[in-house]
Amino acid sequence: MRLPVQLVLGTVLFGLFLAAALLSLVWTPFDVTELDIAHKLAAPSAAHWLGTDHLGRDMTAMLMAGARTSIAVALLAVGIGITLGVPLGLAAAARRGSLLDEIIMRGNDLIFAFPSLVIAILITAVFGPSAINAILAIGIFNIPVFARVSRGAALTIWPREFILAARVAGKHSARISAEHILPNIANLLVVQGTIQFSMGILAEAGLSYVGLGAQPPTPSWGRMLADAQTFFYAYPRLAILPGLAIVLTVLGLNLMGDGLRDLLDPRLRRTVR
Amino acid sequence: MVRYAATRLISLGLSLMAASLVIFAVVEVIPGDPAAFMLGMNASEETVAALRDELGLTGSLPARYLGWVTGMLGGDFGTSYTYRVPVSELIAARLWVSLPLALYALALSTLLALPIGMLAAARRGRATDYGIMGLTQLGIAVPNFWFAMLLVVLFAITWPIFPAGGFPGWENGAWPALKALTLPAVALALPQASILARVMRSALIETLGQDYIRTARAKGLTEGQAIRNHGMRNAMIPVLTIVGLQFSFLLAGAIIIEKVFFLPGLGLLIFQGITQRDLVVVESVVMLLVFAVILVTFLVDLAYALVDPRLRHTR
Amino acid sequence: MIALENISLLLSGIPVLRDVSLRIPPGQTLGLVGESGSGKSMTALSVMRLLPDGAKLSGRVLLEGRPLTDLTERKMCAVRGGQIGMIFQEPMTALNPVQTIGDQVAETLLVHGAARRSEAREIAKERLARVGLAPERFPLDRYPHELSGGQRQRVCIALAIALRPKLLIADEPTTALDVTTQAQILELLRELVREEGMSCLFITHDLAVVAEMADEIAVMKAGAVVEQGPTGALLREMRHPYTRALFDASRHCPDRAPIVQDAPLLEVENALRDYPLKRQGLFGRREYFRAVDGVSFELRRGESLGLVGESGCGKSTLTRAILGLEPLQRGAIRLDGEAVSPAMPADLRRRMQVVFQDPYGSFNPRHKVSKLLAEPFHLTGRPADMEARVAEALENVGLQATDADKFPHEFSGGQRQRIAIARALIARPELIVLDEAVSALDVSVRAQVLDLLADLQARFGLSYLFIAHDLSVVRSVTDRVLVMRGGQIVEAGETEAVFTAPAAVYTRELLAAAPVLPTA
């Protein structure tokens, strides 16, 4: 089987940043919490491959640690969306048209009325800013996305005759959902997962940029961009690098998603953006 | 049609009620005593009590909720603790920045995306299509606030065509105001246009595989005529859904973009509200944003019925 | 006069049509028959030049002596809809759902510049009236979703004949319709061909339909026409062995020697089932649709009982209730004296199994045959000799034990239906519900599966509830038959008696509408 070009390209791109994030857990070229005002705003050199920022922190180390924050936040947010959204969607589909279905779908609509930034604003206003806020805000917004996708996909599977056959074999709807429905919509969930992952990275960057996400000294790409704004004209490097990191990570994930879709099922277009 | 609209209107009302309950619960119930929360740890008993009085926090929870909601229905959002003016005044002034910005961006995004998506669908599988798909893929990946920073460097500093930030106000003429909103609107529109163009393309390609397109071809329509007369209107159904969803992203995005351009919009107001712990302002602006999203969902539902006769005729 | 001369077609390099030559004089209908994949539809699309990308066409198509095969795409557009009209199989999806029927008929006229807008609407009204949609009941501003399948097919015919084409191509135009609707549409097509002096290329898999419709028949197999001739002579002589095999399979009647006991196995008593309709508005009152309305019957041990009726008659709902998947509002269903309901015990469930219509949808595509066949063991607990049981079930239906390791997509449609039967057999049931179990199969495969079912019935003493819309099949394999309409049983009796002397008016209508193969 030939792998789609996008899948290979996307996996390589995203893999690069994932590797950097994992590496940063055990090693970074410099300590990101260590300020070195004497060497602030230094140009790239043998010691500082990508130079230093306005507080003299090593940019390479900052970008690596930033990757860790971005990927962790987005991954956990997707995790929240899948673990809560998929069972809700499957349950709604299994009891189509029932009160349960109605409640789940109206609940979804309600959450959809709160963009993740608004959720983050509400949480921050009451509990103060933190990376957990970002995870919760993005994660909560992911729940209805996964609930809708899995409900919609499950509804196309339920009337199929092999489901009727399973019911004739005496299986209950929870068991049928796990055994027959879930494996048949897994492709769709994987593709939607990569899309939500990439959107999570963008959302995390936005939240950190406005100060509602990860707080200093935790490095994050959005925070780096906010710090760099004042120096942008004089030191464009400070803003270009984290920006490129975001673009390439998101691009990598989106290409992976497209590639996976082509690989798993070319007819599959039911993903929600 | 009337029946359909009435049903949607009822569901609009219910959504608003549910949303207001959620906001009220998060802002006024979870912190315990909002007055103490707003004043911080060092406030004396008396000042807290005074603020509690001022904010009307003395009644029971249901009474306070009802007071808040009925106040908003009459245009009274309460008084800002930090600004000492009615919140409605604060909001009204800033709405004149945020709303035009979101609409400007929505218009740009739609006008750009639909023709591009149609072009890609018509040239599917050819170089033009691959080029467009590649560019939109990139467009989706670019964070709008970073793109905004690049735009500022390019079109406000290197070539000073547009202002780098700030807002002259509408009273000094529409042109300077529009000019100040152009770069922010472009920054907001780019990622949304990329998404919309892709949706338009796939929706059109999807309809091209339908039986009624084959019927149209058998009637003697050329492929182009079949797309225009039959594909387009059917493809508008998914496109409308996305346009509706995008409005909420644009509104949220506008809050972030306002920070890049120092625009005195709702975003700036809400961030000041958060830092100054002015819960009255936060609560009201959030309610307004959510109201806007729910209203747009309602309008999109009505638009569906215009496009799709099957909805209009549900008895 | 339309003539196809040595049409050959390659799709991505694979030959699909080989040297197809046909002629249809004005006012005549040519019936093109064959099993699925024989190239019938591709022949029609070759005439229309509406082929998929990567198609390579050779040979000539002449319409009134004018070669169509080398026209430019633009000129071909003028021919389509103008000189050649075409209707398709699926009337439910063939019309644009967001455009009125009047606009869709008028579009044929407008796109060919044959009329101005106001005139086009007048002509559309007249053409719709001609196909039986009178303007009083079906004004031009109706949308497709407001019409039934048969009415939609009439709209499709109206837009295909709006410009009085010289050739009408009908590709399985009645396959998706009920028999009574089919009879009306066939009658309409016959009239139109005669009145308008069109040539008609009529494509179908149903030999009985083609025998009624066509002046001349061409039999296709694997992309080539194997035999062609005037209907009467062709049916009498059947010179090509494939033609004979096809007709024999269509008329196939398996050898059965049923041993029917007196004791009832399945009893349905006054069954009633309502369906809630979509709620009107948010707080609207829920209304109900009575799908099954007081049905009573008995199925005796060892018997094959047929259940026939058109779509929407309630037979699917009744089937689901009999299988214990959905509750009844009133009445009772008993299997061997024990009550059937969604809560019935596993062992009772085991004694009743089902085979569905769609050999493609019946299996979870991600499971191997061994796992698919073992699913009914959920009811009994896994036997120690499960593998042997799976192998035995496969061999019972004419497959091999080694097939257990394959996935369903590795089998043909007929083989999959055998797997479905094996799955029904594995838990050793007493009653098998055959829900349109042979309806999706080609005639030759259908004949084999019917033989298999007869053989299994004799070997295991099975009882069958045979649900179908195809009357001729029901006649050949059942002992007694029930006729259902509007949720009620309108007639019940010995199969032969019902078919030769129907008592109910509806049964007579149904039998009159069903096309019959002439006996050779």
Side-chain angles (χ1 to χ4, degrees):
Chain A
M1 186 162 47
R2 248 192 76 198
L3 289 174
V5 186
Q6 297 143 301
L7 182 60
V8 176
L9 200 65
T11 312
V12 168
L13 264 180
F14 176 67
L16 210 67
F17 287 94
L18 183 66
L22 290 175
L23 183 61
S24 79
L25 291 172
V26 290
W27 176 84
T28 47
F30 289 85
D31 185 354
V32 289
T33 54
E34 199 175 290
L35 309 187
D36 182 6
I37 307 293
H39 291 103
K40 70 172 185 181
L41 298 167
S45 64
H48 298 283
W49 302 334
L50 297 173
T52 62
D53 71 357
H54 63 296
L55 296 175
R57 290 173 294 190
D58 181 63
M59 282 296 277
T60 318
M62 290 286 282
L63 286 173
M64 285 172 69
R68 187 173 68 204
T69 312
S70 283
I71 291 175
V73 168
L75 196 62
L76 287 168
V78 171
I80 292 177
I82 289 182
T83 44
L84 293 176
V86 173
L88 284 174
L90 289 178
R95 296 268 178 276
R96 177 184 198 175
S98 70
L99 189 64
L100 177 76
D101 183 18
E102 194 72 13
I103 290 172
I104 291 173
M105 291 322 286
R106 293 291 82 77
N108 274 342
D109 290 348
L110 181 64
I111 299 179
F112 258 135
F114 289 81
S116 44
L117 183 74
V118 172
I119 301 178
I121 286 172
L122 272 177
I123 300 177
T124 310
V126 177
F127 298 105
S130 74
I132 307 283
N133 284 356
I135 295 169
L136 279 179
I138 304 166
I140 290 174
F141 194 73
N142 276 342
I143 296 171
V145 172
F146 282 101
R148 276 191 188 194
V149 168
S150 36
R151 177 178 180 271
L155 284 181
T156 66
I157 312 270
W158 267 102
R160 301 266 300 269
E161 291 179 338
F162 68 86
I163 301 296
L164 275 176
R167 291 172 65 197
V168 171
K171 292 185 176 168
H172 290 289
S173 58
R175 169 127 193 208
I176 290 176
S177 290
E179 195 171 303
H180 289 297
I181 308 276
L182 195 57
N184 279 293
I185 67 168
N187 289 350
L188 201 66
L189 295 177
V190 168
V191 172
Q192 191 69 46
T194 53
I195 291 171
Q196 294 312 117
F197 197 163
S198 78
M199 288 179 68
I201 301 240
L202 279 175
E204 189 276 336
L207 291 177
S208 306
Y209 172 77
V210 293
L212 299 181
Q215 296 301 301
T218 313
S220 83
W221 292 339
R223 185 105 225 141
M224 288 168 77
L225 282 172
D227 291 342
Q229 203 173 342
T230 28
F231 305 97
F232 194 1
Y233 196 56
Y235 300 95
R237 171 177 51 87
L238 296 187
I240 301 276
L241 287 174
L244 275 183
I246 298 171
V247 171
L248 293 178
T249 312
V250 173
L251 190 65
L253 279 167
N254 283 340
L255 289 174
M256 267 173 75
D258 277 13
L260 278 174
R261 183 173 51 196
D262 290 351
L263 183 73
L264 297 174
D265 186 350
R267 285 158 303 157
L268 208 140
R269 285 206 203 93
R270 224 176 292 99
T271 45
V272 173
R273 272 262 177 222
Chain B
M1 181 73 201
V2 176
R3 177 148 216 162
Y4 175 80
T7 319
R8 302 320 306 166
L9 200 63
I10 292 172
S11 109
L12 167 96
L14 288 177
S15 307
L16 281 177
M17 208 169 81
S20 65
L21 270 172
V22 170
I23 294 171
F24 181 80
V26 172
V27 177
E28 300 213 12
V29 182
I30 293 179
D33 183 354
F37 177 81
M38 284 165 76
L39 290 170
M41 302 218 277
N42 303 324
S44 68
E45 270 302 312
E46 296 84 70
T47 30
V48 172
L51 180 63
R52 208 179 284 138
D53 238 24
E54 188 187 323
L55 294 177
L57 296 181
T58 39
S60 67
L61 277 179
R64 270 162 58 197
Y65 172 72
L66 278 179
W68 179 55
V69 170
T70 45
M72 278 194 299
L73 288 176
D76 174 15
F77 288 81
T79 307
S80 161
Y81 170 65
T82 37
Y83 292 92
R84 297 279 161 196
V85 289
V87 175
S88 51
E89 276 178 30
L90 290 172
I91 289 177
R94 278 144 180 95
L95 207 54
W96 279 105
V97 179
S98 296
L99 196 61
L101 175 58
L103 291 176
Y104 193 175
L106 189 65
L108 272 182
S109 145
T110 315
L111 291 178
L112 206 67
L114 299 192
I116 288 178
M118 289 171 203
L119 182 69
R123 302 255 187 285
R124 64 192 177 281
R126 291 189 233 161
T128 322
D129 181 27
Y130 286 122
I132 291 174
M133 292 309 280
L135 281 178
T136 51
Q137 189 72 272
L138 198 63
I140 293 173
V142 173
N144 51 20
F145 57 93
W146 184 65
F147 185 56
M149 287 159 72
L150 296 181
L151 287 177
V152 169
V153 169
L154 285 177
F155 298 106
I157 302 179
T158 314
W159 298 290
I161 307 169
F162 296 100
F167 188 68
W170 293 97
E171 59 278 6
N172 298 322
W175 179 236
L178 274 180
K179 233 174 140 177
L181 292 182
T182 299
L183 288 186
V186 170
L188 269 175
L190 175 93
Q192 302 302 327
S194 302
I195 293 173
L196 197 57
R198 293 174 78 89
V199 171
M200 180 78 225
R201 172 185 178 273
S202 60
L204 256 186
I205 291 178
E206 177 98 37
T207 61
L208 290 183
Q210 300 293 319
D211 284 355
Y212 53 77
I213 295 290
R214 191 180 57 181
T215 306
R217 294 300 314 275
K219 275 198 254 182
L221 275 72
T222 62
E223 190 175 33
Q225 283 172 325
I227 295 179
R228 274 194 298 282
N229 297 5
H230 297 280
M232 207 65 91
R233 198 155 155 202
N234 282 289
M236 282 323 284
I237 295 169
V239 168
L240 265 175
T241 313
I242 301 299
V243 171
L245 272 182
Q246 289 204 324
F247 186 77
S248 77
F249 282 104
L250 285 174
L251 217 63
I255 290 175
I256 297 180
I257 290 290
E258 281 168 10
K259 200 172 147 83
V260 182
F261 290 92
F262 307 106
L263 292 175
L266 290 175
L268 233 49
L269 180 65
I270 206 165
F271 290 125
Q272 283 162 356
I274 291 175
T275 34
Q276 291 154 356
R277 296 196 167 189
D278 194 339
L279 287 183
V280 185
V281 166
V282 173
E283 186 179 48
S284 308
V285 178
V286 164
M287 189 62 222
L288 192 72
L289 291 175
V290 171
F291 171 71
V293 174
I294 293 176
L295 186 69
V296 168
T297 313
F298 170 71
L299 293 177
V300 167
D301 279 347
L302 291 191
Y304 278 143
L306 290 181
V307 173
D308 192 340
R310 285 164 292 188
L311 286 176
R312 244 179 331 214
H313 292 272
T314 43
R315 264 149 290 142
Chain C
M1 164 76 97
I2 177 97
L4 281 70
E5 295 180 352
N6 304 96
I7 291 292
S8 293
L9 176 68
L10 293 174
L11 278 186
S12 329
I14 299 158
V16 175
L17 296 178
R18 265 170 266 182
D19 273 332
V20 173
S21 297
L22 302 166
R23 310 169 70 79
I24 316 173
Q28 296 261 311
T29 297
L30 175 88
L32 195 55
V33 289
E35 297 188 289
S36 48
S38 60
K40 309 180 296 272
S41 294
M42 279 301 157
T43 306
L45 294 177
S46 299
V47 175
M48 291 296 269
R49 298 243 320 263
L50 284 176
L51 292 161
D53 291 339
K56 216 170 149 295
L57 187 66
S58 61
R60 292 207 303 170
V61 176
L62 297 163
L63 184 65
E64 315 261 277
R66 179 186 180 208
L68 299 182
T69 14
D70 27 77
L71 289 184
T72 61
E73 172 61 21
R74 186 149 288 280
K75 285 195 175 143
M76 196 61 213
C77 280
V79 173
R80 287 184 208 124
Q83 285 157 296
I84 308 179
M86 183 161 179
I87 52 176
F88 301 93
Q89 175 173 350
E90 268 307 329
M92 299 314 274
T93 51
L95 293 169
N96 183 347
V98 302
Q99 213 176 54
T100 62
I101 57 171
D103 284 346
Q104 296 193 54
V105 177
E107 188 180 36
T108 307
L109 300 151
L110 294 171
V111 81
H112 290 281
R116 276 177 288 121
R117 196 159 285 275
S118 55
E119 292 167 359
R121 288 185 70 80
E122 273 315 303
I123 300 173
K125 195 185 283 178
E126 179 265 315
R127 297 267 84 181
L128 281 168
R130 177 63 199 88
V131 299
L133 300 175
E136 309 82 63
R137 282 192 57 216
F138 301 97
L140 294 182
D141 57 3
R142 283 295 177 91
Y143 285 95
H145 71 272
E146 300 172 277
L147 308 182
S148 70
Q151 289 161 350
R152 290 188 210 192
Q153 195 60 294
R154 286 173 193 269
V155 176
C156 291
I157 294 172
L159 61 84
I161 60 155
L163 281 169
R164 299 173 193 275
K166 300 194 174 70
L167 170 67
L168 177 67
I169 303 176
D171 187 356
E172 304 265 11
T174 56
T175 306
L177 304 174
D178 281 325
V179 292
T180 48
T181 319
Q182 161 168 292
Q184 292 159 7
I185 296 285
L186 292 179
E187 180 57 34
L188 173 67
L189 286 173
R190 263 195 299 266
E191 277 173 33
L192 286 170
V193 169
R194 205 168 45 230
E195 276 173 29
E196 314 251 333
M198 291 185 286
S199 305
C200 177
L201 176 61
F202 190 96
I203 296 169
T204 182
H205 69 284
D206 189 326
L207 297 162
V209 167
V210 83
E212 282 194 1
M213 278 297 291
D215 303 295
E216 199 166 307
I217 292 178
V219 182
M220 276 192 94
K221 185 194 178 190
V225 174
V226 296
E227 186 171 1
Q228 187 176 359
T231 304
L234 185 131
L235 292 180
R236 256 193 324 277
E237 294 162 14
M238 291 199 247
R239 268 177 263 140
H240 196 279
Y242 180 70
T243 311
R244 177 160 294 282
L246 211 53
F247 275 74
D248 285 346
S250 301
R251 274 192 303 245
H252 183 73
C253 188
D255 287 330
R256 299 176 61 242
I259 307 154
V260 180
Q261 301 171 11
D262 276 342
L265 176 62
L266 178 75
E267 295 160 274
V268 176
E269 202 179 290
N270 214 4
L272 186 137
R273 169 91 177 131
D274 285 337
Y275 267 119
L277 296 174
K278 210 173 153 54
R279 213 187 280 272
Q280 300 184 356
L282 216 50
F283 300 108
R285 216 179 28 166
R286 238 185 221 285
E287 296 204 349
Y288 291 88
F289 169 71
R290 184 148 292 180
V292 176
D293 188 5
V295 166
S296 300
F297 67 88
E298 281 180 3
L299 187 155
R300 281 168 287 181
R301 202 176 276 278
E303 185 180 42
S304 286
L305 179 65
L307 176 61
V308 298
E310 298 187 292
S311 53
C313 73
K315 58 186 196 292
S316 313
T317 308
L318 181 61
T319 309
R320 282 195 297 270
I322 289 172
L323 289 169
L325 298 178
E326 285 174 15
L328 291 175
Q329 264 85 38
R330 238 194 3 247
I333 299 173
R334 281 185 296 276
L335 183 68
D336 204 13
E338 288 182 69
V340 166
S341 78
M344 68 189 185
D347 189 59
L348 190 60
R349 228 175 243 291
R350 174 196 67 79
R351 295 165 65 184
M352 175 165 60
Q353 289 294 313
V354 62
V355 177
F356 293 108
Q357 170 177 6
D358 181 7
Y360 296 94
S362 293
F363 304 109
N364 186 338
R366 302 184 177 274
H367 290 175
K368 281 185 180 175
V369 168
S370 50
K371 187 163 181 187
L372 295 168
L373 286 194
E375 187 151 46
F377 287 140
H378 180 71
L379 296 165
T380 56
R382 290 196 170 186
D385 58 343
M386 191 169 82
E387 272 176 47
R389 291 276 293 270
V390 167
E392 182 195 336
L394 282 170
E395 278 158 8
N396 278 337
V397 297
L399 295 170
Q400 267 139 41
T402 48
D403 288 332
D405 281 334
K406 294 186 187 162
F407 283 97
H409 66 255
E410 296 174 61
F411 296 88
S412 70
Q415 287 172 321
R416 287 191 219 211
Q417 212 55 336
R418 285 172 189 266
I419 299 172
I421 295 169
R423 175 172 61 189
L425 278 179
I426 201 158
R428 298 180 179 149
E430 289 149 50
L431 169 66
I432 296 184
V433 176
L434 300 162
D435 188 358
E436 301 276 6
V438 296
S439 304
L441 303 176
D442 276 325
V443 283
S444 51
V445 180
R446 183 177 78 190
Q448 293 163 11
V449 172
L450 290 176
D451 279 341
L452 171 67
L453 288 170
D455 173 50
L456 292 171
Q457 182 166 44
R459 276 165 65 196
F460 300 112
L462 293 167
S463 309
Y464 290 147
L465 178 60
F466 195 98
I467 299 156
H469 68 278
D470 186 325
L471 299 170
S472 66
V473 174
V474 172
R475 186 174 189 173
S476 67
V477 299
T478 62
D479 307 308
R480 282 191 312 130
V481 67
L482 311 167
V483 181
M484 201 169 169
R485 184 192 202 183
Q488 296 176 325
I489 291 192
V490 294
E491 182 160 5
E494 301 291 325
T495 303
E496 266 318 299
V498 170
F499 274 78
T500 45
V505 181
Y506 177 67
T507 315
R508 280 201 288 270
E509 279 172 25
L510 214 53
L511 287 172
V516 256
L517 263 184
T519 37

